[in-house]
Amino acid sequence: MKGGLQRSDLKQLLDTTGKEMELLLRRGAETRVREIGGSVHFRGLIEFSNICDKDCYYCGIRKSIPSVRRYNLTDGQILEAARFAHENRYGSLVLQSGEVESGSYTRRIENLVREIKKLSGGSLGITLSLGEQTREVYEKWFRAGAHRYLLRIETSSPELYRMFHPADGDHSQERRMECLHHLKTIGYQTGTGVMIGLPFQETYHLADDLLFMKEFDVDMVGMGPYIEHPETPLFRYRDKLIPPGERFSLALKMIATLRILMPDINIAAATALQALDPLGREKAIRVGANIIMPNITPGKYRNDYSLYENKPCMEEEPDESTGCSDLPVNLAEGEIGYGEWGDSIHFSRRKEHST
Ligand code: SAM
């Protein structure tokens, strides 16, 4: 990368502590406000099913955990949550689920995207986070009206990826990369992300993750700390983890550094931050993130979308029918861009340059 931050610079930033770290975090915050303004945008998050065909070693909804109560919201429940997001002027929502590839699943999502567009008069922006699919499937969902897609690469290191996933065709890093390329060429605002603080992960791996995001030229990023889950294979390495406080700081440093590296992208304050600090998402906003995804999944299902220990907002009872009690507490009203899509400025610039 000519003239920009190199791997060694990024590693150095991620290794900062004390006053130097404070300075980095302040730079992240200043860069956000200077480059994209002070607004924070909401994406109402609907985790509509925890049924998953994958077996990732870190994930609490991997297919081979028998104790997970599997659920699948009805279309009516999903549309009700979407109506809630619309009426409360969230601007956008995210549909997320475990990973399933089938004709009926494809048709269902296509139909839901159209219905959500209809019920909001076209005004709700839709992000999908539904894992790896074929190019044709991504095209169908794009034509139906979804315009952003979040597919975390989890780690850009082939070595770590192999360590954290079964060695079979269903868990190939190459396919995940290929999917990201499809999403970008179809025209989605394309998002990726990684887990921070995985066992055996060093800061140079994280520096490489940031370089990957820059080189791929992503429009949005959602990245957060890895949190151990007792019923997953990776739990056996819990004594190799950095302490939760340090993991949290590392996640904040990743956000601030990424903001400096890619000033005009959208960066989400990941829910997992809140598992380590009750004000985790608000703190992420204060160092460079600009997107928050309040959970609007009906309350009684939230316990079953348990990706990791201590996931926030699990016990909350639904407030009315949609269970939204997951609003960030420490943001000024004027900061929230109600009713706006809050699209990635990086995406619009990328499009302008390509035409
Ligand atoms: N199936 C879709 C996919 O793979 O893109 C979306 C659902 S998946 C459960 C959403 C994200 O949860 C993953 O990309 C992963 O980064 C995150 N995740 C899973 N287990 C986690 C853990 N133990 N700690 C932190 N994040 C985790």
Side-chain angles (χ1 to χ4, degrees), residues 49 51-52 54 56-62 95-100 105 128-132 149-154 176 193-196 198 222-229 232 234 247 272 305-309:
S49 169
I51 298 168
C52 192
K54 289 214 158 178
C56 311
Y57 295 151
Y58 43 82
C59 186
I61 61 166
R62 66 197 295 267
L95 288 180
Q96 189 178 89
S97 77
E99 217 159 295
V100 175
Y105 183 83
L128 300 179
S129 176
L130 308 173
E132 294 161 37
Y149 204 103
L150 184 63
L151 184 71
R152 285 185 175 186
I153 194 69
E154 316 297 1
R176 218 151 167 95
V194 294
M195 282 177 286
I196 301 160
L198 287 159
M223 58 182 172
Y226 160 69
I227 318 273
E228 58 276 31
H229 185 296
T232 59
L234 218 55
R247 229 181 301 161
Y305 201 84
S306 168
L307 305 179
Y308 42 77
E309 277 186 318

Side-chain angles (χ1 to χ4, degrees), residues 6-106:
Q6 310 288 322
R7 187 191 204 211
S8 56
D9 305 319
L10 295 170
K11 180 177 164 357
Q12 209 175 352
L13 290 172
L14 297 174
D15 284 332
T16 52
T17 54
K19 288 225 157 53
E20 282 180 351
M21 177 176 102
E22 293 308 320
L23 189 64
L24 167 66
L25 302 184
R26 214 170 323 126
R27 285 270 152 76
E30 288 162 4
T31 309
R32 169 172 83 92
V33 175
R34 187 182 63 240
E35 300 287 336
I36 57 170
S39 290
V40 174
H41 289 97
F42 281 175
R43 316 275 184 249
L45 174 63
I46 310 174
E47 295 164 333
F48 67 87
S49 169
N50 63 358
I51 298 168
C52 192
D53 289 340
K54 289 214 158 178
D55 230 359
C56 311
Y57 295 151
Y58 43 82
C59 186
I61 61 166
R62 66 197 295 267
K63 73 170 173 192
S64 43
I65 306 186
S67 59
V68 175
R69 237 182 345 173
R70 302 289 165 176
Y71 72 90
N72 196 355
L73 296 192
T74 63
D75 287 3
Q77 287 168 317
I78 297 172
L79 295 176
E80 190 55 37
R83 202 165 286 118
F84 175 91
H86 177 50
E87 284 166 2
N88 288 277
R89 305 182 59 235
Y90 278 22
S92 290
L93 55 75
V94 181
L95 288 180
Q96 189 178 89
S97 77
E99 217 159 295
V100 175
E101 284 189 75
S102 76
S104 58
Y105 183 83
T106 302

